[in-house]
């Protein structure tokens, strides 16, 4: 087994030099070409001072240029720190400081940053593979990915080469992934699902990537058909969109064999009819967190394993899972509790016992398989992405119109949760001054698109517990009353 992602880049170029590696609708490259392009980009990054052990922030859409630059970082023995393409410049600068970046590469760079286009090499010698530039240890950091924190700020999770290769080699095997597969890359490569579940899997299996720089719901079904995608990956909302397109007369073609998804809670009763409607014979479901390098357990085919309401997932080799009650005692199979995990895959500091405590609720089956049934903390999931409500609340409170804010999730069959902001107006702001558009505009300056609430509800005060803490349960009850009064609700 190759030791690093750089090894995988060379393996693909040696064994599948002329096979299609990636295309983004405007540019197609083979594995051999991709390696040579990455080596040329590595030369440009080296000229900018990047070397082994450094960190490079990369921001951009899902394009061939993005993949080339990611490969260049790994060929240099550096660590990649990708950032979502929607992140504003201020967030990018904060991110670079937090991860100690040597360089920032962006599709639309600010002062002092490198343009993604400028990193791309010119003409290259065809047919020859470049020499190795660096030989990082298998334990070196390959990628640093951002995840929502629990106190209004983010965590930065460093993932090692060996961990990613071990984990996603197991995942590729469970999904029967091979070089003939074609992955549709709608999920952003800057996120764990995209980087690990698309790029790393492609490097391991030799499957090609059809990258999607800009998602267009109306063009989605045609893109699946015309790209000859065999695997479509994304949150459950994506399957809802495909089903809507098919109902409108579109076709995905006969080639799609697998819809690969992951979310806190997967309901077969909702997903399997949609898959049948669009003609996808197999749906897989994975569970994991960025803090655990993306995957803890996987069900390769939810139609074969479903227990009705939830999906029993096989825990990956080398990974342990436990379910505890509210006071930390193990519960018997079938009893719900908080999910914990430990093993080689945990990439954040934990206690001496090695257990990482998740915010998820679930139960174990007697055979050791895991069912995830929801959240036990306040974290929300929108279209497959974790959203920390505290972070969103702080962004909303930037507005001079808002004194306090609370964010909760309303169940949504398409996106998992629809974010609702319950806000208290600032002193002096009367009913006429409650401008939802202005409040959300201020929030958008520091949030990504999926973190922005869709609904704003104005209230006179937020409910608190006897100890002075915000009572989210009471907020949800308050929200239920207001959502029936359309005069107080503004859809954003």
């Amino acid at each position: 087994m190759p030791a690093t992602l750089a090894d995988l880049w060379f393996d693909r170029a040696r064994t599948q030099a002329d096979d299609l590696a990636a295309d983004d609708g405007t540019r197609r490259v083979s594995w051999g070409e991709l390696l040579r392009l990455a080596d040329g980009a590595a030369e440009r990054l080296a000229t900018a001072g990047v070397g082994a052990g450094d960190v490079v922030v990369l921001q951009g859409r899902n394009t061939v240029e993005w993949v080339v630059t990611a490969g260049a970082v790994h060929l240099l023995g550096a660590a990649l720190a990708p950032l979502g393409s929607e992140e504003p410049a201020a967030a990018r600068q904060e991110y670079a400081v937090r991860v100690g970046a040597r360089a920032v590469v962006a599709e639309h760079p600010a002062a002092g940053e490198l343009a993604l286009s400028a990193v791309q090499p010119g003409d290259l010698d065809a047919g020859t593979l470049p020499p190795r530039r660096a030989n990082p240890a298998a334990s070196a950091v390959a990628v640093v990915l951002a995840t929502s924190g629990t106190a209004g700020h983010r965590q930065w999770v460093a993932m090692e080469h060996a961990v990613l290769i071990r984990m996603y080699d197991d995942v590729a095997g469970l999904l029967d992934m091979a070089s003939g597969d074609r992955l549709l890359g709608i999920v952003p490569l800057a996120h764990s699902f995209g980087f690990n579940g698309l790029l790393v899997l492609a490097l391991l299996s030799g499957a090609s990537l059809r990258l999607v720089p800009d998602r267009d719901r109306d063009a989605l079904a045609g893109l699946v058909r015309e790209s000859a995608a065999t695997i479509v990956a994304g949150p459950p909302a994506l399957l809802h969109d495909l089903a809507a397109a098919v109902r409108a007369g579109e076709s995905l073609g006969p080639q799609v064999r697998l819809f690969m998804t992951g979310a806190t809670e997967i309901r077969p009763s909702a997903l399997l009819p949609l898959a049948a409607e669009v003609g996808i014979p197999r749906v897989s479901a994975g569970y994991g967190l960025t803090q655990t390098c993306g995957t803890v357990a996987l069900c390769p085919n939810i139609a074969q394993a479903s227990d009705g309401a939830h999906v029993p997932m096989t825990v990956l080799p080398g990974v342990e899972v436990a379910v505890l009650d509210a006071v930390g005692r193990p519960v018997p199979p079938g009893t719900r509790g908080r999910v914990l995990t430990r093993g080689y895959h945990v990439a954040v500091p934990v206690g001496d016992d090695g257990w990482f405590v998740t915010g998820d609720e679930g139960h174990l089956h007697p055979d050791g398989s895991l069912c995830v049934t929801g959240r036990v903390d306040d974290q929300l999931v929108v279209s497959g992405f974790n959203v920390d409500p505290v972070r969103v609340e702080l962004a909303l409170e930037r507005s001079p119109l808002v004194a306090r804010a609370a964010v909760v999730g309303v169940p949504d069959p398409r996106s998992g949760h629809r974010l609702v902001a319950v806000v208290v107006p600032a002193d002096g702001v009367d009913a006429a001054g409650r401008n939802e558009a202005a409040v959300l505009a201020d929030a958008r300056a520091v949030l990504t698109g999926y973190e922005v609430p869709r609904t704003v509800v104005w209230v006179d005060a937020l409910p608190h517990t006897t100890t002075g803490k915000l009572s989210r349960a009471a907020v949800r009850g308050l929200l239920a009353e207001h959502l029936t009064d359309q005069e107080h609700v503004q859809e954003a």
Side-chain angles (χ1 to χ4, degrees):
M1 178 64 63
T4 68
L5 297 187
D7 293 334
L8 289 175
W9 281 83
F10 276 89
D11 280 1
R12 292 279 74 80
R14 281 192 292 262
T15 60
Q16 296 176 235
D18 297 326
D19 290 353
L20 178 64
D23 79 82
D24 57 16
T26 59
R27 188 178 186 186
R28 295 166 58 92
V29 292
S30 68
W31 285 108
E33 292 168 333
L34 197 55
L35 178 66
R36 292 191 292 275
L37 289 167
D39 183 72
E43 181 66 32
R44 297 198 172 192
L45 288 175
T47 301
V50 177
D54 288 333
V55 177
V56 176
V57 170
L58 173 60
Q59 183 186 41
R61 297 169 301 154
N62 285 13
T63 62
V64 168
E65 288 185 342
W66 195 102
V67 175
V68 166
T69 306
V73 172
H74 290 138
L75 295 183
L76 288 170
L80 183 71
L83 192 62
S85 62
E86 294 184 343
E87 294 280 359
R92 186 166 68 230
Q93 293 164 8
E94 177 193 4
Y95 184 60
V97 172
R98 289 286 300 272
V99 300
R102 172 72 66 178
V104 176
V105 180
E107 192 169 7
H108 303 290
E113 299 176 340
L114 299 173
L116 181 61
S117 58
V119 173
Q120 307 307 305
D123 295 334
L124 300 173
D125 293 333
T128 61
L129 297 184
R132 293 295 298 263
R133 289 180 172 268
N135 291 289
S139 59
V141 174
V143 65
V144 181
L145 294 177
T147 185
S148 296
T150 58
H153 60 80
R154 290 178 173 178
Q155 294 178 322
W156 318 109
V157 181
M159 305 180 187
E160 299 175 0
H161 288 272
V163 172
L164 293 178
I165 290 173
R166 175 180 176 181
M167 173 176 289
Y168 288 95
D169 185 60
D170 287 335
V171 171
L174 288 169
L175 297 179
D176 306 311
M177 200 168 290
S179 59
D181 277 315
R182 185 150 167 78
L183 302 173
L184 190 65
I186 297 174
V187 182
L189 293 172
H191 295 276
S192 181
F193 193 173
F195 185 84
N196 297 332
L198 292 173
L199 183 55
V200 175
L201 279 177
L203 285 166
L204 280 162
S205 66
S208 63
L209 286 171
R210 173 51 167 99
L211 302 168
V212 182
D214 301 294
R215 180 175 172 181
D216 180 351
R217 290 175 60 182
D218 294 334
L220 183 58
L223 179 60
V224 173
R225 181 179 64 251
E226 293 159 13
S227 68
T230 62
I231 299 176
V232 177
L238 186 59
L239 196 54
H240 283 269
D241 292 344
L242 291 174
V246 169
R247 293 186 201 112
E250 291 276 10
S251 169
L252 306 188
Q255 77 285 341
V256 182
R257 70 173 185 86
L258 172 66
F259 180 74
M260 181 170 64
T261 192
T264 300
E265 187 176 0
I266 298 294
R267 294 196 178 275
S269 59
L271 292 186
L272 290 176
L274 293 174
E277 188 174 358
V278 301
I280 299 178
R282 179 177 169 186
V283 177
S284 71
Y287 164 67
L289 310 96
T290 303
Q291 295 95 327
T292 63
C293 295
T295 306
V296 170
L298 179 70
C299 178
N301 189 339
I302 68 173
Q304 295 179 355
S306 171
D307 68 355
H310 301 98
V311 177
M313 291 178 281
T314 301
V315 178
L316 294 183
V319 172
E320 292 182 74
V321 168
V323 177
L324 307 183
D325 63 17
V327 296
R329 297 172 302 193
V331 298
T335 302
R336 294 188 182 186
R338 183 183 289 268
V339 177
L340 285 73
T341 184
R342 70 178 175 185
Y344 76 94
H345 63 310
V346 176
V348 293
V350 293
D352 293 339
D353 59 3
W355 288 103
F356 174 73
V357 181
T358 79
D360 298 316
E361 177 191 72
H363 64 267
L364 291 170
H365 283 242
D367 64 0
S369 57
L370 171 69
C371 279
V372 179
T373 55
R375 300 287 295 180
V376 294
D377 61 7
D378 293 323
Q379 193 97 157
L380 302 169
V381 177
V382 176
S383 296
F385 298 121
N386 287 344
V387 175
D388 177 14
V390 175
R391 171 177 158 81
V392 181
E393 288 156 4
L394 292 175
L396 292 166
E397 290 169 2
R398 287 165 44 93
S399 171
L401 303 178
V402 175
R404 289 292 312 277
V407 173
V408 295
V410 175
D412 187 294
R414 182 181 166 274
S415 62
H417 284 116
R418 174 168 61 90
L419 297 185
V420 177
V422 181
V423 299
V424 177
D427 290 342
V429 177
D430 58 16
R434 297 177 180 182
N435 187 325
E436 291 83 6
V439 170
L440 294 179
D442 287 340
R444 284 192 183 95
V446 293
L447 298 175
T448 56
Y450 60 84
E451 293 176 305
V452 178
R454 298 214 7 232
T455 304
V456 176
V457 175
W458 296 91
V459 296
D460 294 330
L462 293 176
H464 291 77
T465 67
T466 55
T467 60
K469 295 181 180 179
L470 177 68
S471 172
R472 295 189 185 278
V475 170
R476 294 184 186 97
L478 184 67
L479 180 64
E481 299 175 8
H482 279 265
L483 286 179
T484 63
D485 184 354
Q486 292 302 311
E487 292 181 354
H488 292 81
V489 178
Q490 174 69 40
E491 287 287 337

